[in-house]
Amino acid sequence: MEKIKMTTPLVEMDGDEMTRILWAMIKEELLLPFIDLKTEYYDLGLECRNETNDQVTIDSANATKKYGVAVKCATITPNGARMDEYKLKEMWKSPNGTIRAMLDGTVFRSPIVVKGIEPCVKNWKKPITIARHAYGDVYKATEMKIPAAGKVELVYTPENGKEERELIHNFTGAGVVQGQHNLEDSIESFARSCFTYALDVKQDLWFATKDTISKKYDHTFKDIFQEIFDKDYKDAFEKAGITYFYTLIDDAVARVMKSEGGYIWACKNYDGDVMSDMISSAFGSLAMMTSVLVSPQGYYEYEAAHGTVQRHYYKHLKGEETSTNSVATIFAWSGALRKRGELDKLPKLMEFADKLEHACIKTIEEGKMTKDLALITSLKNPTVLNSKGFILEIRKTLEESLS
Ligand code: NAP
Ligand code: MG
C-alpha cells in the first residue's frame, strides 16, 4: 500500500515518562507504516528543556504559529522532587502554561465516548466539551483579612484622571475581602477561540455566567461574547446550522444534566476548573479525555488531557509490565492529522484520522482494552492487554479497515 502523503509538517512536541514511551510506539505501529509522516520535531522532554534553558518550548510554540497545527505529548511540570530527580538548573514553568500564554489560547477538553464505558449520567449520549477561560478572576485575586471594624473600598486611579471609589463594605467587625479582575482583551480572545472551535467541530456553543447578580463583571463577559458573535460569527453559525446560546450558570447546569450532550460549554475560569473535573469523571476516565488548545487566530495544539503517568513509568523502568491507555494520545495525533489534512486539502489524511480513531473505539468495544478501562467497563469478561499489546490490537483493526 502506498503511504499517505503530507505537504506541511506537523509541529511534534515530544514529552516525558510513560507517555514518551507510548509516543514512540504510536509512531512506529500506527503512523509510520501508513503515512509519509512529516513533522518538525521539538523535544519537550524535561532533560532537553533543562539543557536549552526552556528555549525549546518557546521555539515549539513559535513553530505552531508558523505551521498552525501541533501535537504534544504529556510533559512533566517540575516541582521540588523533580529538581533533584533531573538535577534541574531552574524550576522550569509548565510547558502547557508557556505555550498557552504565547498562543493566547483556550483549552477544549472532550471525552472519547465508547460503548461499554457508560457515563454516570444515563442520558449523556454524546461528548460534552468544556472550554475553560484560562485568565484571571479568583486565580489572580488579591485578598485581605479584615481584623476589625472599618471601611473597605475599591479604588481606581487612572493614569491621568480623577480617582473613582466604590464602597465594598462598612465592616462593623472582622471579615474578609477579595478583589478580582479580568481583561477585555483576554475575554475577547476567549470568545473568538470558542466561536472558532464551535464552527470547526460544527457543534452548538453554550456560555453561562452569573450576570443577574454580577451586573458589571459577569455582564461584561456576556456582552463581549454577544458583540463578537453578532459582528463576526452569526452568519457563519447560521450557515453551519449551529447556534450560540447564552444562559444563567444555574440554568446551564440544570440543562447540562438533562441534555444528551454533543455541544461545547464555555466556562469562566472557576466554573471551567470545577465543571471539567465533573464532566471527565462522569464520562468515565481521564485516560479517555482529549484536549486541544485553540488560539483566536485559529492555531491548534492537540494533546491528551492526562499527565505523564509517572507510576506506570517507574514500573516500566523496573522491567515490569504496564497496561497504560494510549487512546487519548492517539486521538491527539488523529486530531492534528485531520486538521492538517483539512488545511492542506488532503482528504486521504483526514480519512486516515477517522479510521485510526474508529480502530481505537472498535478495539475497546470488542472487549480488548487496558486495565484502567477493564476496571470500569460494563462489557463482560474484557481482555486486559499491556501497553504494547493494546496498540498492536488497534493496528490489526486499523489494517482491516484500510485494506
Ligand atoms: P497522570 O499522569 O495523569 O496520572 C495519574 C494517575 O491516573 C495514574 O497514576 C494512573 O492511575 C491514571 N492514569 C492517567 N493516565 C492514564 C493512562 N493513559 N492510562 C492508564 N492510567 C492512567 O497524573 P500525575 O501522576 O499526577 O502526574 C504525572 C506527571 O504528569 C507530573 O509530573 C505532572 O506535572 C504531569 N502532568 C502533565 C500534564 C500535561 O502535560 N498536559 C497534565 C497533567 C499532569 P494508576 O496509577 O492508579 O494506574
Ligand atoms: Mg480542577
Side-chain angles (χ1 to χ4, degrees), residues 4 27 29 53 63 136 157 209 315 330:
I4 297 163
K27 283 176 72 177
E29 299 295 339
N53 297 327
T157 318
T209 72
K315 279 176 74 178
I330 297 171

Side-chain angles (χ1 to χ4, degrees), residues 1 37 107 122 137 165 183 214 217 240 328 352 367:
M1 203 190 83
L37 191 67
V107 173
K122 287 193 303 286
D137 302 351
R165 282 170 183 265
L183 307 171
S214 173
Y217 198 103
F352 175 82

Side-chain angles (χ1 to χ4, degrees), residues 327-345:
V327 170
T329 307
I330 297 171
F331 270 64
W333 275 101
S334 58
L337 289 168
R338 184 185 295 106
K339 179 49 81 183
R340 201 62 271 168
E342 194 187 304
L343 294 173
D344 297 347
K345 305 207 168 44

Side-chain angles (χ1 to χ4, degrees), residues 72 74-77 82 96 286-287 303 306-309 311-312 324-325 372:
K72 180 179 170 292
T75 46
I76 293 169
T77 300
R82 302 296 197 168
N96 287 49
L286 193 60
E303 65 172 329
H306 59 77
T308 59
V309 211
R311 213 179 58 83
H312 295 208
T324 315
N325 189 340
D372 56 307

Side-chain angles (χ1 to χ4, degrees), residues 131-143:
R132 173 182 171 188
H133 185 213
Y135 179 83
D137 302 351
V138 69
Y139 302 86
K140 281 221 187 274
T142 305
E143 307 189 335

Side-chain angles (χ1 to χ4, degrees), residues 42-59:
Y42 293 86
D43 186 358
L44 266 54
L46 188 49
E47 276 161 17
C48 180
R49 277 184 273 149
N50 191 49
E51 271 162 32
T52 63
N53 297 327
D54 211 22
Q55 185 60 39
V56 66
T57 306
I58 293 163
D59 292 346

Side-chain angles (χ1 to χ4, degrees), residues 221-396:
F221 280 76
K222 177 184 177 181
D223 290 344
I224 289 178
F225 264 69
Q226 195 63 50
E227 273 161 31
I228 291 179
F229 178 71
D230 290 342
K231 188 155 68 81
D232 292 335
Y233 295 92
K234 201 173 187 171
D235 296 342
F237 266 55
E238 255 165 41
K239 257 192 216 126
I242 57 173
T243 55
Y244 167 58
F245 169 62
Y246 178 87
T247 188
L248 260 186
I249 186 76
D250 350 17
D251 180 49
V253 170
R255 285 171 188 259
V256 164
M257 295 312 281
K258 290 186 181 152
S259 76
E260 60 162 30
Y263 49 85
I264 300 155
W265 182 11
C267 292
K268 284 180 63 201
N269 210 349
Y270 174 81
D271 299 336
D273 183 354
V274 176
M275 292 306 163
S276 66
D277 283 356
M278 183 192 77
I279 298 281
S280 65
S281 52
F283 268 102
S285 166
L286 193 60
M288 296 291 280
M289 287 290 277
T290 58
S291 181
V292 54
L293 175 77
V294 181
S295 83
Q297 296 82 14
Y299 308 134
Y300 293 76
E301 182 242 299
Y302 294 83
E303 65 172 329
H306 59 77
T308 59
V309 211
Q310 182 182 19
R311 213 179 58 83
H312 295 208
Y313 181 60
Y314 290 162
K315 279 176 74 178
H316 169 85
L317 287 182
K318 280 193 263 171
E320 290 171 31
E321 188 165 271
T322 59
S323 180
T324 315
N325 189 340
S326 46
V327 170
T329 307
I330 297 171
F331 270 64
W333 275 101
S334 58
L337 289 168
R338 184 185 295 106
K339 179 49 81 183
R340 201 62 271 168
E342 194 187 304
L343 294 173
D344 297 347
K345 305 207 168 44
L346 301 170
K348 283 199 177 134
L349 194 59
M350 294 167 72
E351 193 189 330
F352 175 82
D354 291 343
K355 287 188 170 171
L356 177 56
E357 290 180 358
H358 189 248
C360 294
I361 292 171
K362 187 158 180 250
T363 305
I364 297 168
E365 290 182 346
E366 283 172 354
K368 292 169 266 185
M369 58 191 80
T370 44
K371 195 172 149 196
D372 56 307
L373 297 182
L375 289 170
I376 56 170
T377 184
S378 57
L379 298 175
K380 297 272 176 306
N381 307 315
T383 308
V384 181
L385 299 164
N386 63 28
S387 306
K388 179 87 179 225
F390 180 56
I391 289 174
L392 291 176
E393 279 300 327
I394 294 170
R395 177 168 178 172
K396 263 193 226 160

